[in-house]
Structures are given as structure tokens and as C-alpha cells.
Amino acid sequence: MPADPSAAVLPLTNVLYERRDTIAYVTINRPKVLNALNTATWKDLRTAFEAARDDDAVRGVILTGAGDKAFVAGADISELAQASAIDAERSSRHGQQVLDLIENLGKPVIAAINGFALGGGCETAMACTIRVAVEHAKFGQPEVKLGLLPGGGGTQRLPRLVGKGRALQLILSGEIISVQEAWRIGLVNEVVAATDLIPRAEAILKMIGSNAPIAIKQSLEAVNKGMDTSQSEGFALEASYFGLCAGTEDKKEGTSAFLEKRAPQFLGR
């Protein structure tokens, strides 16, 4: 049976899912293998994010890893070592689809990066809306050291985030970089102390959640879809979404509240 999208907790094996108030907390829970991604974990991630997407009570998601060493240290190498070329391509496409779900959830997803974010971990973080990382976090796409290349969208998202030159340097060298370097090149939004990681992610979502839900969703779509078009096509998308927002009750409430000097009460319609 499909997961109940309104459930506060889901019965998953490798991922913990809990909704508290308007935030869904998704934790990759394989700390003994540094939260490495295998087929079962990808499946659980899909289930968790589909639940968050379909639950109207959820206004945002925090994605993190269990323990204090790793967000996700990469793919499960023991599984990958046995994969044929056909298996690997199928696995790549599946991972890309799950990360596409995260990127286009229609709700903000904060990656709370609590340690290593390597390979598929870096790719998972890049699919999130915003990345907040602890001071000991490290990032990289070291797949070339295994005779592979990034297969979870890394060759596409990394250049879009940090530029082609920096992305190619990281991908081709397999270099592991510090969180300070990741912040410098724009891979990470903020660096915080470990004790502040989840509270800061919650604070960002609270700030976003005080705004109009439809406007948030349309802003995410405008940016994500616009990145895959020319600038002129992106302008047309933006105008279309601007018009859609202008026809909502939230727009009426937002403009009225501004003129009346009071806090708006958005209802998401």
C-alpha cells in the first residue's frame, strides 16, 4: 500500500521520516556505512519525499544524515562494484529521478549537511533548495577515482551552481574540499556550528513559511524551469507565474496587509 501522505511518521528501513508541525524531517539512517546510498535507500528517499510533497500540512523539509560524521559519504561501493553497465545506467537514472523529485518538490528543502557530502551525497545536497553545513563538512565528486563519473546529476547541477570551470576541476580531479572552500565557490549557502545546524535550517524554513505558499511554489518553478531555458524564455515563464500569483487570494491578502500595516494571513489559495 502507498504511504499515507498525512502520516507524521513513516515505516521506512533506511530513512527516518517525521513531520513536526509544518516541517518534515528526513534523515538518511545508515550511520555505520556513513549513510551510503544503496537501492533500498533511494527507494525510501522517494517514499519520504512523495509523502512530504503530498501532505498539505508540510511547508518545508529538512534533509540530513544520521550521526555526526556524514550527510552522505557517497554510493554503496559494495553494491556498485557488482553492477553491470546496464545496472549502472538504470541505477543512475533512478537516482536522478529521486533527486529531481527533491529539486522540484514545490516546497523548500534544506540540506542540513552534518559531515561528509561526497559523490551521491554532494549530488543529493545540490538537489536541495538551500545548503547549510557544519564546520567540519567536506564536499567532493570523487567518482573518477573509481573509474566512473558522477551519475546522480553531478555533471549537470555542479556547473550550474559553481560555474563550468570550478565544476570541471572538482569532477576531473576528484578533490575533496573543505566547507570553507565550498562556501567560497557558492556550493554552500551557510556554515554553522554543529549545535546550530538543525535550528538554523528550521529558522530558514520558518522565514520562508511566513510567506505566501503559492508564491513560494511558483518562485521555485520559475527558477528551476528558467535554468533550463534561454533568458528570454525565462522572462516569459516569470511573467506567466507572476500573473498566476496575481490572481490568488494570497495576493489580495498580501497587498491589503501591506497597505493596512498588519501581518498577512496567507491561506495558500
Side-chain angles (χ1 to χ4, degrees):
M1 294 178 63
D4 178 359
S6 64
V9 178
L10 296 180
L12 303 174
T13 302
N14 294 332
V15 169
L16 303 177
Y17 178 95
E18 180 183 7
R19 173 171 55 76
R20 298 201 296 270
D21 196 15
T22 61
I23 298 176
Y25 296 80
V26 179
T27 304
I28 299 169
N29 189 32
R30 302 184 74 210
K32 291 182 179 179
V33 290
L34 300 180
N35 302 318
L37 295 167
N38 61 6
T39 301
T41 306
W42 281 119
K43 182 179 179 181
D44 281 357
L45 275 174
R46 179 189 288 276
T47 300
F49 276 94
E50 286 175 344
R53 178 196 63 195
D54 297 340
D55 187 346
D56 291 338
V58 172
R59 297 286 296 275
V61 181
I62 295 174
L63 174 62
T64 193
D68 58 5
K69 293 182 179 179
F71 174 70
V72 173
D76 190 318
I77 305 302
S78 61
E79 183 178 89
L80 185 59
Q82 305 301 318
S84 67
I86 293 174
D87 292 336
E89 182 176 356
R90 186 182 297 117
S91 175
S92 174
R93 291 297 295 153
H94 183 233
Q96 290 169 356
Q97 289 164 5
V98 175
L99 297 186
D100 186 67
L101 168 66
I102 293 174
E103 185 173 47
N104 296 289
L105 197 70
K107 304 172 183 184
V109 180
I110 310 293
I113 302 161
N114 53 312
F116 290 111
L118 307 178
C122 189
E123 291 171 312
T124 299
M126 289 191 290
C128 296
T129 314
I130 294 168
R131 286 154 294 284
V132 180
V134 297
E135 294 163 323
H136 64 272
K138 295 186 182 300
F139 298 80
Q141 298 288 167
E143 287 88 348
V144 292
K145 295 181 180 294
L146 300 174
L148 294 164
L149 55 78
T155 64
Q156 304 306 305
R157 287 192 178 93
L158 190 56
R160 286 167 167 79
L161 277 171
V162 306
K164 179 180 176 181
R166 287 187 175 121
L168 280 172
Q169 183 174 352
L170 285 171
I171 291 168
L172 299 181
S173 69
E175 180 184 5
I176 308 300
I177 61 173
S178 68
V179 72
Q180 290 78 17
E181 177 66 5
W183 178 81
R184 187 187 73 83
I185 65 177
L187 182 54
V188 165
N189 294 75
E190 296 185 18
V191 181
V192 299
T195 53
D196 295 333
L197 181 62
I198 300 301
R200 178 54 184 155
E202 292 170 335
I204 293 171
L205 285 183
K206 184 177 180 180
M207 190 183 312
I208 294 172
S210 68
N211 299 317
I214 295 174
I216 295 299
K217 181 178 181 180
Q218 302 292 12
S219 294
L220 285 165
E221 283 200 31
V223 171
N224 288 341
K225 290 184 177 180
M227 291 291 288
D228 293 328
T229 67
S230 67
Q231 183 167 295
S232 61
E233 290 171 322
F235 286 153
L237 274 173
E238 180 180 270
S240 174
Y241 290 134
F242 189 79
L244 287 171
C245 288
T248 64
E249 291 182 28
D250 278 352
K251 175 260 185 180
K252 295 177 182 177
E253 168 63 13
T255 53
S256 296
F258 179 84
L259 294 171
E260 295 166 10
K261 296 181 172 57
R262 60 176 175 81
Q265 299 295 318
F266 294 120
L267 299 175
R269 56 177 187 256

